[in-house]
Amino acid sequence: MKIDRSSWWWRKGRAMLAIFASLLAAGVAAEPLQDSAWSEVRSRQPELKSNLHDLSDNLGQGMLLGVLGGFRTVLADFVWLQSYSYWVQHDRPDTEATIQLAGTLEPDMILYWDEGSRKIAYDIPHWRMQELEQDQESPDPARRAAAEKEVQQSMEEQAQRGISLLDRGLKFHPDNYILLRDKAMIYQDRLQDLPDAAENWRLAAATSNSPFFAAREYVELLLQMGERREAYDYLRQLYPTLPPDAPEAQKGVISDWMRALENLLKIPHDNSPQFAPPPGWKPDPNAVYMPELFQEIGK
Amino acid sequence: MMAAFGQVWQIARLTFLEAVRQRFFNFLLLLSLALIGSAYFFRQFDFGPQELRFSADFGLGGIMFFGSILAVVATAQLFFGEIENRTALTMLAKPVRRWSFIAGKLLGVSLLIFVFVGLLTAVLGAYLWWRQGEYISAWHTAKLAGEQPTEFPGEMRVQFAGLAVNALLQWLKFSVLAAITMLVASFSNTNLYTVVVSFFIFLICQLQYIAHDAWAGIQSPLLAGLAWLLGKLFPNFQLFAVGELLVFPTAIPVPAGAVATAMGYGILYLVGFTALAVGSFRSREI
């Protein structure tokens, strides 16, 4: 085969070489543009490198290509919808796996961490409870005790798994009220771990969009743990920040709590204006918010 | 020169009109609208305000998926339609330059993509507006009842201007993809070959960032060189994902410079691939 300037190979080869050289030149010319914009995009995308193997196992090669190819968020949506169908079927391993996967694919979605952790920590132990219902009602005490033990174990394990999921979410959203609240509630309701629950309520109350009750939850837990001085100091910091006109802030109730704690701790009442009860507030003698506190001072 | 631009505009107009009459375009448009409309059924999952982000991700994914199909298939169909029906011969026998033909075709496809992306974004935006309004209203009702002490969270609010900018970036990306398809069509003989090769190139462009990110860390000089070459030969389509970051507020706002840079990057490649398609088409035997 003779290759001269008029041959097809020469003409096509030259054209291809020209295209190749032009693309290379364009790539080099565009590099500064690419680098600056790409660093912005890349820094906000989740790091998938470390768990590519897991992703490949859970998603399959085709879906993995979709994830890497820019369809990450929409595939996360599909994975989440899939987790619903597993949840409806009470399929524990697949429910958990798809919840974890959805969070990996789209960590910006609070829903995956929030609702996912609740499904893992609250729903799955109930499935186990339902499975063991007959054993729990058995006349045989040994069988009943074994079932009770297993349910308790499942509750603790699932609570820990729910907390682990929330911890993963908190790496991406360290100041998110919803995730901190969920964590506090799991510690409080499922593990009866009051110090950790209190710590997470404190963190939740410190977030910018926290509802007022988060701070009250923290104080209640401090009081349940006998940390009265700490509770009082926290209330003194909290009180001046509460708006007097927002009923949900319950500034008057907080004022009552402070007075009650001052009595309990034998601290002189602070009558400075910043700690004055809100205008028109009449202390409620039947306050039910803190029964143990009010009982002790004789109300 | 003005006459040549007039020709480009005429070809673009005719290409656009021909394309919007195609069943393929209308089918794709209906399918995409149905996909966005199906977000309505997410309400039954009771996601709360997070539904807005869920629906936005779903809709934007649909626009990206169907938009890329449209950019490749419509460009190949419209180009080979002219070649196979011999209308290109008639047209080029007149004083119509080859560059005007390619530029006109591309402009027509680009207009088509603009309408497609614009329409779908408008529908998605309208849906999000409606759902957001419902959530804000429910939030305020809860606030008045003392159940919800704060305003509707800012981070859950849709940034409609960001949605529009994202549409612009997606349009630019699909226009670059159309120009790539036109380059492939300019030297290939069949529609099918063009579509398949263009989709492969699209895939490489979507995954190019892996080569771009990896080459510095690769030990083998041969592999590192290959990764570097891949990173330079193909544009990084994931760069346009900067637009998706604008749809909802982020902890650190996306600087306007990043958006402008992505646009500049897109324009550079659009001009580059169009010029290459023109160059390649000039030596083509029709």
Side-chain angles (χ1 to χ4, degrees):
Chain A
M1 186 173 59
K2 192 181 170 191
I3 297 178
D4 60 26
R5 280 172 182 260
S6 60
S7 72
W8 185 89
W9 286 104
W10 174 268
R11 281 184 288 117
K12 280 286 172 188
R14 202 179 57 165
M16 284 298 157
L17 204 65
I19 290 173
F20 186 83
S22 307
L23 286 178
L24 200 61
V28 172
E31 195 170 9
L33 290 176
Q34 183 179 193
D35 286 348
S36 68
W38 182 236
S39 60
E40 279 296 328
V41 178
R42 200 73 181 108
S43 64
R44 292 150 201 268
Q45 282 185 344
E47 188 55 78
L48 295 172
K49 268 185 203 166
S50 54
N51 41 25
L52 268 185
H53 188 71
D54 288 348
L55 280 177
S56 166
D57 287 348
N58 289 315
L59 281 170
Q61 300 285 342
M63 293 271 267
L64 180 66
L65 204 63
V67 168
L68 295 174
F71 292 96
R72 183 177 52 81
T73 52
V74 71
L75 283 172
D77 281 7
F78 281 116
V79 168
W80 183 253
L81 294 179
Q82 202 182 14
S83 86
Y84 255 95
S85 70
Y86 290 132
W87 178 69
V88 169
Q89 294 162 26
H90 290 195
D91 178 343
R92 189 192 69 79
D94 286 331
T95 302
E96 272 199 56
T98 43
I99 287 170
Q100 296 277 2
L101 187 59
T104 304
L105 293 176
E106 173 57 319
D108 282 345
M109 187 75 110
I110 301 296
L111 173 85
Y112 298 158
W113 309 114
D114 167 32
E115 204 173 311
S117 69
R118 280 188 271 132
K119 281 178 179 162
I120 290 173
Y122 296 95
D123 297 350
I124 290 177
H126 275 281
W127 302 345
R128 191 76 193 115
M129 221 185 277
Q130 281 169 4
E131 284 163 12
L132 296 169
E133 205 170 7
Q134 281 189 337
D135 287 0
Q136 283 180 301
E137 288 166 5
S138 161
D140 177 6
R143 201 170 154 196
R144 226 170 34 231
E148 287 292 338
K149 191 181 170 191
E150 199 173 333
V151 166
Q152 189 57 36
Q153 204 175 353
S154 165
M155 276 193 183
E156 281 169 20
E157 273 176 19
Q158 291 305 129
Q160 290 296 353
R161 283 168 184 268
I163 287 168
S164 301
L165 183 79
L166 289 167
D167 283 337
R168 281 186 62 208
L170 282 163
K171 278 186 195 159
F172 297 97
H173 311 277
D175 300 321
N176 189 280
Y177 162 72
I178 294 171
L179 303 187
L180 290 164
R181 175 206 63 192
D182 288 348
K183 206 173 154 186
M185 287 174 77
I186 294 175
Y187 273 123
Q188 191 173 339
D189 302 336
R190 291 280 153 170
L191 296 172
Q192 283 78 46
D193 178 348
L194 298 189
D196 279 327
E199 175 59 11
N200 282 287
W201 276 121
R202 186 185 68 78
L203 293 171
T207 57
S208 58
N209 60 346
S210 159
F212 297 110
F213 77 83
R216 296 197 297 271
E217 289 283 347
Y218 171 57
V219 173
E220 284 195 30
L221 287 181
L222 284 180
L223 291 169
Q224 280 182 39
M225 292 187 294
E227 308 274 1
R228 287 172 180 161
R229 181 71 215 196
E230 206 174 332
Y232 177 71
D233 290 343
Y234 181 78
L235 288 174
R236 273 179 69 87
Q237 280 180 10
L238 176 73
Y239 190 78
T241 67
L242 297 175
D245 52 348
E248 62 275 15
Q250 300 197 0
K251 195 163 183 169
V253 173
I254 302 287
S255 164
D256 283 355
W257 289 7
M258 286 174 64
R259 298 285 168 193
L261 280 167
E262 281 166 355
N263 290 341
L264 266 176
L265 296 165
K266 313 258 185 290
I267 298 170
H269 292 308
D270 190 338
N271 292 319
S272 55
Q274 59 173 333
F275 296 112
W281 173 254
K282 287 185 183 139
D284 179 5
N286 301 315
V288 290
Y289 307 102
M290 304 287 292
E292 75 286 2
L293 181 67
F294 286 102
Q295 271 166 19
E296 201 158 335
I297 57 171
K299 286 209 174 184
Chain B
M1 198 62 183
M2 286 308 288
F5 282 116
Q7 286 171 357
V8 169
W9 176 244
Q10 283 302 320
I11 295 168
R13 201 173 64 86
L14 290 170
T15 304
F16 175 73
L17 290 174
E18 190 189 336
V20 290
R21 288 186 200 124
Q22 279 184 347
R23 279 188 203 150
F24 172 71
F25 171 72
N26 290 300
F27 174 70
L28 214 60
L29 191 65
L30 279 175
L31 206 64
S32 314
L33 286 171
L35 185 86
I36 292 173
S38 68
Y40 179 80
F41 298 103
F42 293 151
R43 296 190 328 156
Q44 65 179 300
F45 290 105
D46 196 18
F47 289 152
Q50 287 280 315
E51 178 204 317
L52 299 174
R53 190 183 275 270
F54 199 90
S55 302
D57 283 349
F58 196 72
L60 295 175
I63 292 172
M64 189 176 151
F65 182 71
F66 290 114
S68 55
I69 294 175
L70 179 73
V72 171
V73 177
T75 308
Q77 268 188 358
L78 291 166
F79 179 84
F80 282 100
E82 299 280 10
I83 303 286
E84 283 159 13
N85 297 333
R86 306 241 165 223
T87 43
L89 265 180
T90 319
M91 206 185 296
L92 294 169
K94 292 179 180 175
V96 173
R97 289 172 185 271
R98 287 197 173 202
W99 77 262
S100 307
F101 177 77
I102 291 289
K105 282 274 151 201
L106 261 179
L107 187 60
V109 173
S110 191
L111 282 173
L112 181 77
I113 297 167
F114 185 80
V115 168
F116 181 82
V117 175
L119 195 64
L120 292 180
T121 304
V123 170
L124 179 64
Y127 177 78
L128 293 172
W129 179 279
W130 170 58
R131 293 300 297 148
Q132 179 169 277
E134 292 215 324
Y135 278 116
I136 291 175
S137 140
W139 202 272
H140 279 289
T141 310
K143 191 183 175 198
L144 288 174
E147 296 162 15
Q148 195 55 262
T150 54
E151 285 300 318
F152 186 76
E155 71 269 18
M156 289 182 188
R157 280 180 188 269
V158 182
Q159 299 186 133
F160 292 96
L163 191 67
V165 173
N166 178 60
L168 213 60
L169 282 163
Q170 292 303 312
W171 167 64
L172 198 56
K173 182 176 87 174
F174 295 140
S175 296
V176 175
L177 181 59
I180 291 173
T181 309
M182 192 61 89
L183 170 64
V184 178
S186 69
F187 59 76
S188 82
N189 291 323
T190 65
N191 190 346
L192 184 67
Y193 174 84
T194 305
V195 168
V196 171
V197 170
S198 301
F199 269 120
F200 272 115
I201 296 177
F202 171 66
L203 205 60
I204 295 170
C205 293
Q206 285 289 119
L207 298 172
Q208 184 261 34
Y209 74 100
I210 297 174
H212 181 267
D213 288 356
W215 80 271
I218 297 175
Q219 297 293 321
S220 155
L222 188 73
L223 282 177
L226 195 68
W228 180 86
L229 203 63
L230 269 174
K232 294 290 168 288
L233 281 179
F234 297 95
N236 180 358
F237 274 2
Q238 299 261 0
L239 204 70
F240 299 97
V242 73
E244 288 175 22
L245 301 170
L246 304 170
V247 180
F248 286 93
T250 47
I252 306 162
V254 178
V259 177
T261 308
M263 283 189 175
Y265 183 79
I267 291 167
L268 184 81
Y269 270 104
L270 182 60
V271 172
F273 277 113
T274 307
L276 286 173
V278 167
S280 172
F281 187 63
R282 283 170 76 168
S283 58
R284 183 189 175 112
E285 288 169 13
I286 301 171

